[in-house]
């Protein structure tokens, strides 16, 4: 059982930046592909970004390309999401997720991932 704990959320003004972290309990963290999703009130969970187990491949939702960066440090068992130029409509709870399954072609599906963190709130004020 993989436990994931997100941190780094908070209140930021529009145009500002935040860096989210997701720490994993799993000793074999480096074997897991990781993703970030977000969910705003009344909306479905939305794919944000994903990174392969070795970090060689990264994937982003179109609206995040150029503004968000996903990365990982396998020695620290942590995945990061650097978010720049944040917009008020990006206010949501941000979740990290993990899977040992291949994510090529399916990284944007929440059902691809087997383990989820509890989420961290990001609020972007206008």
């Amino acid at each position: 059982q993989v436990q994931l704990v997100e941190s780094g959320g908070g209140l930021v003004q529009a145009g500002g930046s935040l860096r989210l972290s997701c720490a994993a309990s799993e000793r074999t963290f480096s074997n897991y592909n990781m993703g970030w999703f977000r969910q705003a009130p009344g909306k479905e969970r939305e794919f944000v970004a994903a990174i392969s187990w070795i970090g060689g491949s990264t994937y982003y939702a179109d609206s995040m390309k150029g503004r968000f960066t996903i990365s990982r440090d396998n020695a620290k068992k942590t995945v990061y999401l650097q978010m720049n130029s944040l917009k008020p409509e990006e206010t949501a709870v941000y979740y990290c997720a993990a899977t040992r399954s291949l994510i090529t072609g399916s990284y944007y599906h929440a059902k691809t991932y087997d383990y989820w963190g509890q989420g961290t709130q990001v609020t972007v004020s206008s």
Side-chain angles (χ1 to χ4, degrees):
Q1 184 78 12
V2 179
Q3 293 184 333
L4 303 171
V5 179
E6 301 97 334
S7 61
L11 175 64
V12 64
Q13 289 188 331
S17 300
L18 280 175
R19 187 174 86 151
L20 306 183
S21 299
C22 173
S25 63
E26 177 57 40
R27 177 175 57 86
T28 59
F29 171 76
S30 59
N31 293 340
Y32 286 80
N33 298 302
M34 303 296 296
W36 284 98
F37 288 75
R38 67 188 183 191
Q39 188 166 19
K43 295 188 176 181
E44 292 186 356
R45 193 162 295 191
E46 175 187 27
F47 169 73
V48 175
I51 188 166
S52 63
W53 65 277
I54 201 171
S57 297
T58 56
Y59 309 91
Y60 297 94
D62 287 344
S63 61
M64 287 75 163
K65 288 179 181 178
R67 297 188 300 120
F68 289 14
T69 302
I70 188 171
S71 62
R72 66 189 297 160
D73 185 332
N74 286 339
K76 295 183 178 180
K77 298 185 291 184
T78 301
V79 62
Y80 305 97
L81 183 68
Q82 177 68 42
M83 305 186 294
N84 299 327
S85 302
L86 283 161
K87 306 172 184 178
E89 56 266 36
E90 295 181 308
T91 294
V93 177
Y94 283 69
Y95 299 90
C96 72
T99 181
R100 294 190 67 170
S101 301
L102 291 175
I103 61 172
T104 304
S106 63
Y107 52 84
Y108 48 89
H109 281 306
K111 291 183 179 180
T112 296
Y113 300 86
D114 304 305
Y115 305 100
W116 293 82
Q118 83 290 348
T120 185
Q121 177 71 45
V122 171
T123 302
V124 185
S125 64
S126 57

